[in-house]
Amino acid sequence: MDDPTPFSDAEKIRLKRLAKLRQQEESQPPSSSAPSASSSASASRPAQPLAPKPVLQEAVPASTGSRVTKVESKPTTPAVTPAPTPTPKPAAPAKSFEDWQNEALSRILQVTLNPDAVSKGGVRHIYLITLAVELECETSADTPRPFRITADIFDKTLIARLSIDPNNPGDEYAEFAAELRVPLFEYMLSCWRRVQEIRKGMWSRQRVPNEPGRISAADRCAGQDQGIARLVRRVGVADAGHVSASAADVPLGSEQLVPRLLVDTDTAEGLPDEFFKEMVARFKDEDDALAQIFGPALTGLSGRIRGETILGDYWPPALTMLTEHKNFASVLPSLPNWDPAFSTPRTIELMSLLGPFFRLSVFPDDQPSVAENYFANSEGRNKADIDSAITSLRGTVRTIQNNLFGILNNIVRASPTGKDGVLSYLASVARKNEKRAQMQVDRQTVATDGFMGNLAAVLLNFCNPFMDASKIDRIDPDYLRTPQSRIDVSKDTKINATQEESDAYYKEGAAQPDRNPHFITESFFLALTFLHYGPIRSLVNYNDFLRSYNDCKNQYQRMKDEQPRWANLPQVAMNETILKRMKDQVEKLLCHKLALDAALQDPEFLSHMMRFYNLVMTWLVRLVDPKGGHPSQAVGLPLPNEIPKLFAMLPEWIIEDIVEFFIFVGKFGYESRVMRMNSKDELVTFAVTFLRSSKYIKNPYLKAKLVEIFFYFTYPLGKGIPGELDVTLNSHALALDHLVPAIMAFYVEVEQTGASSQFYDKFNIRYNISQSRNCRNPESFTRFVNMLMSDVTYLLDESLTKLAEIHRIQSEMGDTAAWEAQTQQHRQERESYLRTLERQAQSYVALGNETVHMLQYLTAEVVEPFMSPEIVERLAAMLDYNLAQLVGPKCMELKVKNPEKYHFRPRDLLGELIDIYLHLNCPDFVIAVARDERSYKKEWFRKASGILLKYGLKDNDAIATLEKFVSDVEVAVQSGIEEEEALGDVPDDFLDPIFFTLMKDPVKLPTSGTTVDRSTIRTHLLGDTRDPFNRAPLSMEMVVPDDEMKERIRIWKDEQRRTRRQQRLAALQDEGGDPSGIEEEEALGDVPDDFLDPIFFTLMKDPVKLPTSGTTVDRSTIRSHLLGDTCDPFNRAPLSIEMVVPGTNISTIPDDEMKERIRIWKDEQRRTRRQQRLAALQGEGGDPMDTSA
């Protein structure tokens, strides 16, 4: 350096003073002896009255090597009389300004020019002998001695003090070695503190004498604090030579500030706020001054915190205070380590200036000592103790996050440069940690959960002012593709766009002119990003952790249960060691789980996240709202077919994060009561909107998770408490109008998710749909019912099959002798297979229960969709098969140990199946059950009735209705047998190629040219939109009626009936019977469907119209029906005996019009038949008179 060091300057000053002294000695006469410096000063001092000074009576121990203050001795006085008259003591004369000034400045600098005042006031003052010698040379003989420190020589005095080399003080300062060891910065800071004390004392005492002068002097002394502050910068970069060897362990330069920044500012060890204010004010115009002084100090502070946890003194109180000064706050982003460019995703939290502060957390992966300290021996502690520890940790984390927000908020508000620096740092962290969003990532290569979570919490605080959607219009939806976007989502999967479309869209946006995005926009998108990389990923990882924890716990429990088996084996010692290690691991994982619960289930943080995601959902609905008026105006549904690009081009993870958050709250956050503390309308609006217009979201799993949210928040909480969304769904306008159609449409849509696991995915999704039934709508949902039927068939079949296999293995294990005789390997394989079966059975039975339950309550509400030709026979066959499984000969195979473990409640399941039969009790269903030759047996119904009555699951009326239903089925079975016998063998051409039944309405498939029955292809297309013969795309609108085939079938049926009648006539004639009935039937021919009774399908003789459904039936039919069932068989409306048969007269409405039509048709048929017979007789030459009768 060009400038000499302070020690070099001091040496020069000392040499100069010595030279002056020699010159003065040589100029004196030879006769006079050379006095010492002190005696010369005394001799040359003129005699003048001095104000009496108080005498200091304190002696200093000799070991200190300090001078002892001289004490004035008073002359001995003669003895006085025993009772002298007391005289008042004269008041001490007022201290002169010069004396006060000397004492004040001596106290500030802790130095003196008076050798007798070294220990004045009990504090050691360094006697500046070199300065005293210099003043002796420079002043006249009439200057008062000893010298006093004045404002005029204050700078010279300070320089003299700082010029003393603490490493080599010399003989003249040897006795002050201890005082000189104080580091320069500490010495100067203590001087500054004493300046402030004197300044405050002057203004508080308000003495009248010399008031103007003293105030002026105080101001001049206080003004020296800026001079001291000016020296701080120089001391901050001072070199190691300024520190004595005995203080070699003291940090050098600006690092001396670090210990003071770690303690409170109002303590003796802290850095006073006023001192810092004056330093900032002093250097505010110097660009790099504050950075040079505090940059290394803050770096050292950051490094000190790097190894801390929340268990120790982790937070420097001075840090927040420093950033409250705008000049200082605006400097921080300019420091080299604010955002080090060479840092990695993992090291940025260690190397960046504020990174170590942001990584303070309770996450066990980051800082396991916190979890293991707070939750040690947690299995033996009570819940209140654990809850107290969790509450304490959450409070600590909130304090950290609030302090961090205060720091960044101060920097943002300090200047535009500061705001840009904060946003740039956050964006840099996000870009470096993009891999955190991946499903498979090495967590040691990315930032920790605590670091990302704290940053996300700070950003949520920045978003607080606009979370109420009051400033939603300031969020620029086009921001992500502008050149100023700090976040790159161009390669992320979009909500509804291909990668090619996305590339073109974002490339077009990059060419837009520059614009200055609003801070609200940047905060919004940065918060979305950090929640995606931080807390949301932590929530997903929590599920993985729970699986690992439960697996470890179960493995430990299994080994513990098996301990008696290997207790006497040779490997017992090794197994005991393994068991102990497993126990330790389980206890450790439990500590980690509780720490994760404290971090992730914090009600305040979850509530904060929910309010933000409410804003995000509102913003997304606003983007797709054609009017753009949401939320001030309700969005209109369904949405237009054209999807706005602003919505379609957003990253898919925005919606994924929303659903992941609410699913986590639904699974684990009930005790946090987050849903009750916040508005739920935004969630309902969002879910209903995108389920109703499901094409807007391309990924079926995201839509499925919307349904899963409804499942968690509509599921009853127990003890009659409804789900947390129950009330909202039953009062929300959009939900009432659109939820049920949307869910049922999605139930069908989810049949094909496009994934390899779609077969299993759909059951989980539909299970959630089955729980979301708060709003009801009687619309037709044939496709929905078809998928529901398929699910019930598969799930119940798998459930009962798995239970039967479990029964067999449990029976094997129950035979102890035979089981023990098996090999160890065989037993382990069977036990492993049993555990697999148990897991599968639990899943299948739970899904099957809910699907059957949904079928039960749907059939109670509406019957017509289940009676469609493509549904009713499949439904009947499914119910008959499962009824046979539950009460048939194989029912004992379903008897397993602890059936509740598998959610298997056979009586409840049987009751729900019987409910479905009773709900669907109508002619079409009766005929469908009768046609089920595979599984239907009246014995199963009789056995089911006995079980239901025995356990009180159904009352006598319900059993009577069931018996009447079975009786009707038996009649229909007999009719079907007669019909089948009448038709005989059906030609293969007339059989449906899929179900091999006689086609009633044949149609031709244009894609393959195959002829099938219309009901068959309609059933197929409900679940698969491809031709079953060549897999070409097909819809019902494409099929063509095959009229030729239909006519051929009609002619064949007529021929078969004619042949059958002739056979019956011949049989009657052989037996001598009356053929008139057959002749009447033959005369009428085929009866129009309108004239057939809709229950027994016979020609109505006395048609009447039912007032409840408007259906026309035969009078005898409805009378027979009402004997066993008091409901209209067509709409299940009440139809009591009193309404129908008052007394002995039928009070239904006679259908005279139908009766007249039937009469006219019968007359026409008889006339036609007669004409045909006459023509036949005339052709044969017979006598037509034989037919006149």
Side-chain angles (χ1 to χ4, degrees):
M1 295 177 60
D2 296 336
D3 296 336
T5 63
F7 291 100
S8 300
D9 292 339
E11 292 295 336
K12 291 180 180 180
I13 293 172
R14 182 175 298 173
L15 292 173
K16 182 178 179 181
R17 291 171 178 167
L18 291 174
K20 280 189 174 183
L21 287 173
R22 292 193 188 97
Q23 186 178 0
Q24 290 177 355
E25 291 174 357
E26 293 173 356
S27 62
Q28 288 180 350
S31 60
S32 63
S33 63
S36 65
S38 59
S39 60
S40 300
S42 302
S44 61
R45 186 178 302 136
Q48 56 179 334
L50 294 176
K53 294 186 284 186
V55 179
L56 185 63
Q57 301 289 341
E58 181 179 350
V60 180
S63 60
T64 61
S66 59
R67 302 176 185 269
V68 179
T69 304
K70 294 180 180 180
V71 181
E72 289 187 8
S73 59
K74 297 183 179 179
T76 303
T77 57
V80 295
T81 58
T85 303
T87 57
K89 288 185 178 181
K95 187 182 297 184
S96 68
F97 171 74
E98 288 76 13
D99 290 338
W100 175 86
Q101 182 179 232
N102 176 64
E103 289 183 7
L105 296 181
S106 293
R107 177 184 169 191
I108 290 171
L109 300 180
Q110 289 191 345
V111 298
T112 182
L113 295 178
N114 182 2
D116 298 332
V118 169
S119 297
K120 186 176 182 179
V123 179
R124 294 271 296 172
H125 291 65
I126 298 174
Y127 173 55
L128 299 178
I129 185 172
T130 54
L131 180 59
V133 172
E134 182 180 348
L135 292 175
E136 187 68 34
C137 299
E138 294 177 352
T139 58
S140 60
D142 57 351
T143 302
R145 266 67 168 180
F147 294 109
R148 288 175 290 192
I149 303 174
T150 64
D152 295 335
I153 64 170
F154 180 85
D155 290 344
K156 185 181 293 187
T157 306
L158 179 60
I159 293 173
R161 165 63 181 86
L162 298 179
S163 299
I164 304 173
D165 184 357
N167 295 312
N168 187 20
D171 294 340
E172 60 270 30
Y173 295 111
E175 61 178 304
F176 302 110
E179 287 77 11
L180 293 174
R181 288 194 189 97
V182 178
L184 293 181
F185 176 77
E186 290 190 17
Y187 168 72
M188 292 183 346
L189 183 59
S190 61
C191 291
W192 182 89
R193 290 181 187 274
R194 289 188 288 271
V195 168
Q196 300 305 310
E197 291 173 3
I198 293 174
R199 190 176 188 180
K200 291 177 182 177
M202 284 300 304
W203 287 104
S204 63
R205 286 193 294 269
Q206 296 183 356
R207 290 185 179 177
V208 177
N210 294 322
E211 185 70 15
R214 294 193 179 190
I215 292 176
S216 174
D219 288 339
R220 291 176 63 188
C221 294
Q224 301 304 322
D225 57 8
Q226 292 192 7
I228 295 175
R230 285 195 295 271
L231 294 174
V232 171
R233 182 180 179 187
R234 188 171 183 181
V235 174
V237 295
D239 108 83
H242 290 204
V243 183
S244 63
S246 60
D249 57 335
V250 177
L252 307 181
S254 294
E255 291 186 7
Q256 299 177 54
L257 293 172
V258 174
R260 297 187 177 276
L261 295 176
L262 286 170
V263 297
D264 290 332
T265 59
D266 56 354
T267 62
E269 295 79 14
L271 188 67
D273 188 32
E274 291 296 326
F275 176 78
F276 183 76
K277 287 180 181 178
E278 292 178 8
M279 290 195 67
V280 171
R282 167 64 182 83
F283 298 116
K284 65 179 181 180
D285 297 328
E286 300 183 33
D287 296 336
D288 61 343
L290 288 174
Q292 287 186 13
I293 297 173
F294 284 96
L298 292 177
T299 301
L301 181 64
S302 179
R304 188 78 62 90
I305 299 299
R306 192 176 299 157
E308 292 290 338
T309 69
I310 62 174
L311 296 175
D313 296 330
Y314 57 86
W315 190 260
L319 186 59
T320 304
M321 178 270 293
L322 297 179
T323 58
E324 290 175 355
H325 304 279
K326 291 187 176 182
N327 292 332
F328 179 82
S330 61
V331 166
L332 292 184
S334 65
L335 297 178
N337 60 336
W338 171 259
D339 180 19
F342 50 84
S343 61
T344 65
R346 181 70 172 186
T347 60
I348 191 169
E349 64 185 72
L350 300 172
M351 300 175 64
S352 60
L353 184 64
L354 296 180
F357 300 97
F358 275 100
R359 74 189 301 267
L360 294 168
S361 72
V362 301
F363 282 93
D365 288 348
D366 309 344
Q367 297 175 339
S369 60
V370 176
E372 292 162 13
N373 182 278
Y374 268 79
F375 302 110
N377 303 317
S378 52
E379 287 188 348
R381 295 161 63 180
N382 57 45
K383 186 176 184 300
D385 189 15
I386 297 294
D387 290 344
S388 175
I390 290 175
T391 302
S392 175
L393 283 176
R394 287 173 178 170
T396 301
V397 172
R398 289 172 195 163
T399 301
I400 292 173
Q401 292 172 351
N402 290 336
N403 287 334
L404 290 171
F405 169 70
I407 292 171
L408 290 191
N409 190 43
N410 290 336
I411 299 173
V412 166
R413 294 177 178 276
S415 66
T417 305
K419 179 178 72 174
D420 185 70
V422 169
L423 295 176
S424 297
Y425 171 68
L426 295 172
S428 174
V429 173
R431 286 193 300 270
K432 290 181 178 181
N433 283 279
E434 290 176 347
K435 288 187 177 180
R436 274 186 59 91
Q438 297 177 2
M439 297 191 64
Q440 299 294 333
V441 62
D442 183 359
R443 298 180 65 181
Q444 298 302 317
T445 63
V446 294
T448 59
D449 289 344
F451 177 69
M452 299 299 289
N454 286 335
L455 285 170
V458 168
L459 281 163
L460 288 178
N461 282 325
F462 277 122
C463 296
N464 257 339
F466 56 91
M467 277 191 188
D468 59 354
S470 59
K471 300 178 182 178
I472 195 171
D473 55 330
R474 295 192 182 182
I475 301 174
D476 183 5
D478 214 27
Y479 168 78
L480 291 176
R481 69 168 186 154
T482 61
Q484 290 73 40
S485 174
R486 302 176 191 270
I487 306 164
D488 182 13
V489 297
S490 59
K491 299 303 179 183
D492 294 349
T493 303
K494 303 304 183 294
I495 293 177
N496 203 328
T498 63
Q499 188 58 49
E500 292 76 15
E501 293 170 339
S502 172
D503 292 342
Y505 177 79
Y506 281 86
K507 183 177 180 181
E508 178 186 352
Q512 294 180 358
D514 292 347
R515 54 185 177 185
N516 186 23
H518 198 281
F519 183 71
I520 288 178
T521 294
E522 300 212 70
S523 299
F524 176 80
F525 284 103
L526 280 172
L528 272 177
T529 304
F530 271 90
L531 286 173
H532 177 56
Y533 295 150
I536 296 298
R537 182 47 47 188
S538 298
L539 302 185
V540 175
N541 293 337
Y542 180 77
N543 287 298
D544 298 336
F545 170 82
L546 284 184
R547 281 192 290 270
S548 300
Y549 169 67
N550 290 327
D551 289 344
C552 184
K553 188 176 179 181
N554 293 335
Q555 187 177 358
Y556 166 71
Q557 189 60 45
R558 284 197 299 269
M559 189 170 184
K560 188 176 180 181
D561 294 340
E562 294 174 358
Q563 189 173 10
R565 297 183 182 178
W566 46 259
N568 299 320
L569 297 179
Q571 61 267 32
V572 60
M574 182 181 67
N575 288 348
E576 290 286 357
T577 303
I578 295 174
L579 187 63
K580 183 179 184 305
R581 290 179 180 175
M582 293 179 65
K583 180 180 179 182
D584 294 341
Q585 181 66 12
V586 169
E587 291 177 352
K588 179 180 177 181
L589 290 177
L590 178 58
C591 293
H592 290 192
K593 177 186 177 297
L594 293 172
L596 287 173
D597 291 344
L600 299 178
Q601 298 183 33
D602 180 6
E604 187 171 317
F605 183 64
L606 290 177
S607 183
H608 210 172
M609 287 181 68
M610 181 172 174
R611 290 197 301 273
F612 177 76
Y613 279 129
N614 280 348
L615 169 67
V616 177
M617 290 186 291
T618 302
W619 179 71
L620 290 173
V621 174
R622 182 184 179 90
L623 291 183
V624 299
D625 184 4
K627 299 178 181 178
H630 187 76
S632 57
Q633 298 177 1
V635 62
L637 296 180
L639 298 174
N641 290 327
E642 185 177 355
I643 304 174
K645 276 192 174 183
L646 286 174
F647 174 80
M649 295 297 174
L650 288 173
E652 185 181 81
W653 52 258
I654 294 179
I655 297 179
E656 184 179 7
D657 289 352
I658 293 172
V659 296
E660 288 290 353
F661 168 75
F662 281 104
I663 289 174
F664 177 85
V665 174
K667 283 183 177 180
F668 309 108
Y670 169 71
E671 291 186 0
S672 66
R673 302 184 180 273
V674 174
M675 294 295 289
R676 297 188 181 185
M677 292 189 297
N678 296 281
S679 171
K680 297 173 280 291
D681 288 341
E682 294 85 352
L683 173 61
V684 173
T685 300
F686 176 79
V688 171
T689 297
F690 291 109
L691 284 174
R692 189 70 175 91
S693 301
S694 60
K695 62 178 288 186
Y696 273 60
I697 300 177
K698 189 176 181 180
N699 189 341
Y701 290 101
L702 293 183
K703 292 176 281 189
K705 287 183 177 181
L706 290 175
V707 177
E708 190 174 354
I709 292 171
F710 284 141
F711 159 68
Y712 283 116
F713 294 114
T714 57
Y715 199 83
L717 302 177
K719 298 182 180 179
I721 303 174
E724 291 167 307
L725 278 183
D726 192 274
V727 175
T728 305
L729 289 176
N730 281 292
S731 59
H732 197 284
L734 283 181
L736 292 173
D737 294 338
H738 300 283
L739 179 58
V740 168
I743 288 182
M744 290 183 176
F746 183 62
Y747 192 102
V748 175
E749 180 184 338
V750 80
E751 179 70 15
Q752 295 180 346
T753 62
S756 59
S757 59
Q758 66 180 16
F759 180 76
Y760 301 99
D761 294 336
K762 68 180 181 181
F763 294 116
N764 292 323
I765 297 168
R766 288 173 177 169
Y767 173 82
N768 297 327
I769 290 176
S770 71
Q771 299 297 317
S772 308
R773 58 180 186 266
N774 294 71
C775 314
R776 300 183 175 118
N777 191 319
E779 291 186 12
S780 175
F781 42 75
T782 303
R783 294 189 67 196
F784 165 74
V785 171
N786 180 70
M787 299 300 177
L788 183 62
M789 288 298 311
S790 300
D791 291 352
V792 172
T793 302
Y794 174 79
L795 291 172
L796 287 186
D797 186 55
E798 286 296 314
S799 300
L800 302 180
T801 300
K802 301 301 181 189
L803 290 171
E805 293 181 12
I806 291 173
H807 169 77
R808 283 193 290 273
I809 296 179
Q810 289 180 344
S811 299
E812 290 179 21
M813 298 173 68
D815 187 351
T816 307
W819 180 253
E820 293 295 336
Q822 300 292 337
T823 64
Q824 180 71 16
Q825 181 179 358
H826 176 79
R827 292 199 301 266
Q828 290 178 352
E829 289 176 354
R830 295 296 283 172
E831 288 172 352
S832 175
Y833 183 47
L834 176 62
R835 288 193 293 270
T836 301
L837 288 174
E838 288 178 338
R839 287 195 300 269
Q840 293 175 345
Q842 288 172 351
S843 175
Y844 283 128
V845 174
L847 293 170
N849 287 342
E850 292 303 329
T851 311
V852 171
H853 185 56
M854 180 164 58
L855 186 62
Q856 186 259 354
Y857 71 71
L858 287 175
T859 55
E861 293 295 324
V862 58
V863 175
E864 289 82 1
F866 296 95
M867 294 301 105
S868 59
E870 57 268 28
I871 294 295
V872 63
E873 291 190 7
R874 291 182 59 223
L875 175 59
M878 181 273 294
L879 293 173
D880 292 341
Y881 173 78
N882 288 294
L883 180 63
Q885 291 287 97
L886 290 175
V887 301
K890 296 183 179 181
C891 64
M892 295 304 295
E893 296 180 1
L894 304 178
K895 190 174 182 179
V896 295
K897 297 178 181 178
N898 190 14
E900 279 294 332
K901 176 180 179 180
Y902 315 106
H903 316 291
F904 181 51
R905 296 176 286 274
R907 296 169 192 164
D908 294 342
L909 181 59
L910 177 62
E912 291 194 335
L913 288 178
I914 295 301
D915 283 340
I916 297 172
Y917 278 109
L918 298 178
H919 294 161
L920 299 177
N921 184 7
C922 64
D924 288 345
F925 186 64
V926 168
I927 294 173
V929 173
R931 289 176 180 172
D932 178 22
E933 299 177 358
R934 176 191 174 195
S935 302
Y936 168 74
K937 284 187 179 181
K938 63 181 179 181
E939 291 81 6
W940 307 150
F941 288 91
R942 188 177 297 114
K943 189 173 181 180
S945 298
I947 294 173
L948 296 175
L949 278 175
K950 179 180 178 181
Y951 293 100
L953 300 176
K954 291 287 181 290
D955 56 22
N956 291 330
D957 291 341
I959 297 300
T961 303
L962 180 62
E963 291 174 352
K964 176 63 173 60
F965 168 79
V966 175
S967 176
D968 293 342
V969 172
E970 287 298 311
V971 173
V973 168
Q974 187 61 36
S975 300
I977 293 173
E978 294 175 356
E979 175 70 14
E980 184 177 348
E981 290 176 355
L983 293 178
D985 292 335
V986 181
D988 291 344
D989 292 347
F990 300 161
L991 290 175
D992 180 88
I994 296 179
F995 291 118
F996 295 97
T997 55
L998 179 63
M999 292 185 286
K1000 298 178 180 179
D1001 186 7
V1003 294
K1004 184 172 290 187
L1005 308 183
T1007 47
S1008 63
T1010 307
T1011 296
V1012 297
D1013 194 73
R1014 183 183 296 275
S1015 63
T1016 299
I1017 194 60
R1018 181 183 287 115
T1019 301
H1020 171 79
L1021 292 177
L1022 290 176
D1024 188 353
T1025 58
R1026 295 181 180 276
D1027 190 316
F1029 301 99
N1030 64 0
R1031 307 305 298 159
L1034 180 67
S1035 65
M1036 280 305 297
E1037 291 74 17
M1038 299 169 62
V1039 300
V1040 180
D1042 193 341
D1043 295 331
E1044 179 184 354
M1045 177 63 72
K1046 189 174 185 178
E1047 182 62 20
R1048 288 175 59 198
I1049 293 174
R1050 187 192 66 78
I1051 294 173
W1052 174 81
K1053 288 173 69 176
D1054 290 345
E1055 181 64 28
Q1056 290 297 104
R1057 290 191 182 100
R1058 189 176 300 109
T1059 301
R1060 179 60 178 165
R1061 290 191 188 101
Q1062 291 174 355
Q1063 293 173 352
R1064 291 172 64 190
L1065 281 170
L1068 284 171
Q1069 290 173 356
D1070 292 342
E1071 297 172 359
D1074 183 8
S1076 59
I1078 297 177
E1079 291 176 351
E1080 173 68 13
E1081 181 181 344
E1082 185 176 346
L1084 293 178
D1086 291 335
V1087 181
D1089 292 342
D1090 292 349
F1091 301 161
L1092 292 174
D1093 180 89
I1095 294 179
F1096 291 113
F1097 295 93
T1098 56
L1099 180 65
M1100 290 185 288
K1101 298 178 180 179
D1102 187 7
V1104 293
K1105 185 176 291 186
L1106 305 183
T1108 47
S1109 63
T1111 307
T1112 297
V1113 298
D1114 194 77
R1115 187 186 299 271
S1116 62
T1117 298
I1118 194 60
R1119 180 188 286 114
S1120 175
H1121 170 80
L1122 290 176
L1123 292 176
D1125 188 353
T1126 58
C1127 291
D1128 189 313
F1130 301 98
N1131 65 358
R1132 309 303 299 162
L1135 189 65
S1136 63
I1137 295 295
E1138 290 74 14
M1139 294 172 60
V1140 177
V1141 188
T1144 58
N1145 299 321
I1146 297 289
S1147 66
T1148 50
I1149 305 171
D1151 196 339
D1152 296 332
E1153 178 184 355
M1154 177 63 72
K1155 192 172 184 177
E1156 179 64 18
R1157 288 176 58 200
I1158 292 174
R1159 187 191 63 77
I1160 294 173
W1161 173 80
K1162 290 172 69 175
D1163 291 344
E1164 181 64 28
Q1165 290 295 100
R1166 293 189 182 100
R1167 188 179 301 108
T1168 301
R1169 182 59 178 164
R1170 289 192 188 98
Q1171 292 174 354
Q1172 291 173 348
R1173 292 175 64 188
L1174 284 172
L1177 286 172
Q1178 290 173 354
E1180 298 172 358
D1183 184 3
M1185 294 301 294
D1186 292 341
T1187 63
S1188 60

